[in-house]
Amino acid sequence: YIKLNRKRSMFAIEEELSDPLDMDPIEVARVIKDGVDEQMAIGIGKELRVRGYLPEDFTMLAYGGNGPLHACGVARHAG
């Protein structure tokens, strides 16, 4: 378990992403999260389609760790 150092993480986002992209660090974080959600949705969709199912025929349940953090974004991207 490593505790997040907010100042260092904000500095890293600002230096590496915010400044080059001319975006606010919070907006950069939102873009990153949305991209992660989209990639997880693509993965779920592929796994379901290989088995002959469609993502839109299922209900997503969120629990534990980061499940609730990503559930709505993944569901939105998965359809």
Side-chain angles (χ1 to χ4, degrees):
Y1 163 66
I2 300 172
K3 187 175 180 178
L4 177 69
N5 183 315
R6 180 179 166 83
K7 285 183 182 180
R8 289 179 73 188
S9 60
M10 287 292 286
F11 177 78
I13 288 175
E14 287 172 352
E15 286 293 309
E16 297 297 323
L17 300 169
S18 294
D19 291 345
L21 296 173
D22 194 30
M23 294 173 69
D24 177 75
I26 300 300
E27 186 58 30
V28 170
R30 286 184 179 132
V31 169
I32 292 169
K33 183 193 172 296
D34 188 59
V36 169
D37 292 348
E38 182 178 23
Q39 290 303 309
M40 287 191 282
I42 289 169
I44 290 168
K46 284 181 182 178
E47 289 297 320
L48 288 172
R49 286 184 183 90
V50 164
R51 292 167 173 76
Y53 301 111
L54 296 174
E56 57 267 22
D57 293 337
F58 288 83
T59 299
M60 178 178 259
L61 301 176
Y63 56 91
N66 286 324
L69 172 67
H70 292 281
C72 291
V74 171
R76 180 174 48 83
H77 284 290

